[in-house]
Amino acid sequence: MSISSFNRRWATVILEALTRHGVRHVCIAPGSRSTPLTLAAAENSAFIHHTHFDERGLGHLALGLAKASKEPVAVIVTSGTAVANLYPALIEAGLTGEKLVLLTADRPPELIDCGANQAIRQPGMFASHPAESLALPRPSQEIPARWLVSAIDNALGSLHGGAVHINCPFAEPLYGEMDESGLAWQLALGDWWQNNKPWLQTPNKVSTEKQCDWFFWRQKRGVIVAGRMSASEGKLLAEWAKTLGWPLMGDVLSQTGQPLPCADLWLGNSRATEELAQAQIVLQFGSSLTGKRLLQWQATCEPQEYWLIDNLQGRLDPSHHRGRRLVSDVASWLALHPAEPRAPWCVELPHLSAQAWERVAAQRETFGEAQLAHRIADYLPEQGQLFLGNSLVVRLVDALGQIPAGYPVFSNRGASGIDGLLSTSAGVQRASARPTLAMVGDLSALYDLNALALLRQVPAPFVLLVVNNNGGQIFSLLPTPPAEREQFYLMPQNVHFDHAAAMFGLDYHRPESWEALEQALSGAWRKPGATLIELVVNDTDGAQALQTLLAQVSQL
């Protein structure tokens, strides 16, 4: 029997099984041990193939593809530390619900723990972070193909969100022409090869339960907190809240249009918290809240009931409120719980929000990152999408900006790391083919600099806007020790990104005024490729602007 041929047939069954669970995108890193999986994926016409030389970036590319497509995405890597590099993306997917299928090639058992090259203990290496794990045996004709396909179906069929880790050991030889080895084993699956259904079907649907006392609660004084959700859900929720007459505090990732903008500013005002204290029920839709003041209010509010609605399972409430944890997508829940038209019960919040917005707008002509966050809606591409980095960038946009309702906004706010942000944004665009504005800080861009290779071929105009405040200025907002702040927290690198853009063949601009930025953006949206725009700002101006505005609004 040809080992290389049977390895390929074994891998072919695995990859074909994935197609029955909606996998269309496959992300592949170079490697020898993964050859059976790579060639099986290459031969399957159902797949769209993506490649990257950096496994950490590859995992985040897959994460972005899954975010935008709402479909499971497969990743193929070789053995050894290549596998370990998938850990950050796997963790993020587990917290935010994207479905990843990690196919990790491995050495066979006899090469583990004996000094063999590139051989590590891979089964179970991701601990509790995968939603499902499957350690496959070495390919063998003594194991029926129906066992292999049903094992894959069982792992994916029960997947509600997060990653599946499928470890795939292969013995050498890995290369060679295909022969008849294992053909009968493969054909034993019969007409499964001609249809498009899983061998083993395991329905995994979350049913939305109607709350029978909703008609009672909708007549009360309620507050709505909106976290991460889809653009269509955000628009629906904003309309639903308006009908109810309940105030909606929308996170930047809620895509609700933030009808009461600058919540992270006016929540620091005692008039706001005193009025909100009259709420009898709080409904939170979606998790992963960004604003510090919103999180502080959420932690201390004490309504009669606190309901949290999200399609992810688990508690999702770090403040452990008394109430109800309802697992449902937002749209389905709203359809089952209609709003009854009522007059708004809050009078102070709209005034405070408008006053806060005026204070922010008064500074919009200054060239800086806080003002960019306020103006960001002016720079969004038509029919496009926004990807926000972590740290100071997303906090400033959340506190000082207002994104139109229903405009798609993406981010990695599960573990909120700065690793893989450029790769994730590349994946988001590849899945949607929309014009994309990605906005990150300088350290985030440096962390994932390899991902500029992914931007050399983009399906639509892509602008990477790097806000260069020379280090991790988020730490300027924290009580870090002043004497150690620069060396051990901010870590300024004193670099610019023109050489990086040139190395990867990307257009580059470094505007020094709003007019120059607008000209650069106007040109970028008219060309099919990617453009890197670097906004060099004074180091601490953004953080100081936020703190000044917080102080002003708190005294209104």
Side-chain angles (χ1 to χ4, degrees), residues 23-315:
V23 175
R24 294 187 306 122
H25 295 277
V26 181
C27 300
I28 304 171
S32 183
R33 190 63 54 167
S34 52
T35 290
L37 295 167
T38 297
L39 295 182
E43 293 172 353
N44 195 314
S45 61
F47 294 131
I48 301 169
H49 306 102
H50 307 268
T51 60
H52 192 31
F53 55 85
D54 176 346
E55 286 88 1
R56 189 190 68 197
L58 187 79
H60 282 94
L61 176 71
L63 180 71
L65 286 162
K67 281 180 185 291
S69 69
K70 307 297 183 185
E71 298 170 343
V73 175
V75 180
I76 295 173
V77 299
T78 194
S79 60
T81 56
V83 180
N85 279 302
L86 299 178
Y87 219 152
L90 182 157
I91 289 171
E92 182 70 18
L95 293 170
T96 52
E98 290 80 21
K99 296 181 179 180
L100 300 183
V101 183
L102 308 182
L103 301 174
T104 60
D106 198 359
R107 260 59 178 170
E110 66 270 18
L111 295 182
I112 305 300
D113 287 330
C114 63
N117 182 50
Q118 206 172 324
I120 66 174
R121 293 186 294 277
Q122 293 180 194
M125 69 180 295
F126 296 127
S128 62
H129 291 285
E132 300 284 341
S133 295
L134 176 61
L136 293 177
R138 174 217 297 263
S140 169
Q141 293 197 48
E142 295 180 1
I143 300 172
R146 61 177 56 198
W147 175 88
L148 179 59
V149 70
S150 62
I152 302 294
D153 289 341
N154 184 62
L156 270 68
S158 59
L159 183 64
H160 182 67
V164 175
H165 176 209
I166 303 175
N167 198 61
C168 309
F170 293 105
E172 294 183 354
L174 302 168
Y175 306 97
E177 296 296 325
M178 290 293 290
D179 57 25
E180 299 296 309
S181 297
L183 180 59
W185 175 90
Q186 183 178 350
L187 295 178
L189 293 175
D191 63 0
W192 174 81
W193 289 100
Q194 283 74 50
N195 65 40
N196 59 4
K197 296 180 180 178
W199 181 274
L200 179 66
Q201 299 185 51
T202 53
N204 180 33
K205 294 184 178 179
V206 175
S207 58
T208 303
E209 293 185 7
K210 184 176 181 178
Q211 303 303 296
C212 296
D213 55 350
W214 169 242
F215 74 96
F216 167 78
W217 285 108
R218 72 183 181 184
Q219 300 175 57
K220 302 297 183 180
R221 293 186 299 273
V223 169
I224 297 172
V225 176
R228 182 185 58 243
M229 62 189 70
S230 71
S232 59
E233 289 174 334
K235 196 170 184 178
L236 280 174
L237 180 60
E239 294 168 355
W240 187 81
K242 185 177 180 180
T243 302
L244 273 176
W246 290 3
L248 186 156
M249 294 183 283
D251 186 275
V252 65
L253 299 183
S254 71
Q255 297 152 100
T256 56
Q258 297 156 287
L260 295 171
C262 303
D264 202 45
L265 298 182
W266 54 256
L267 276 169
N269 187 295
S270 60
R271 287 160 53 199
T273 53
E274 286 169 5
E275 187 168 52
L276 288 169
Q278 300 174 42
Q280 296 161 301
I281 182 171
V282 174
L283 269 60
Q284 179 181 336
F285 293 87
S287 54
S288 297
L289 303 177
T290 300
K292 184 176 181 180
R293 262 59 57 182
L294 179 56
L295 285 166
Q296 290 172 341
W297 176 84
Q298 191 260 2
T300 56
C301 70
E302 295 184 357
Q304 296 172 33
E305 288 267 343
Y306 195 104
W307 298 4
L308 199 159
I309 301 99
D310 194 294
N311 64 344
L312 294 179
Q313 297 173 330
R315 284 181 288 176

Side-chain angles (χ1 to χ4, degrees), residues 524-542:
W525 297 135
R526 291 198 299 266
K527 64 185 289 293
T531 303
L532 196 162
I533 298 178
E534 182 178 7
L535 209 68
V536 180
V537 297
N538 292 330
D539 296 7
T540 60
D541 281 5

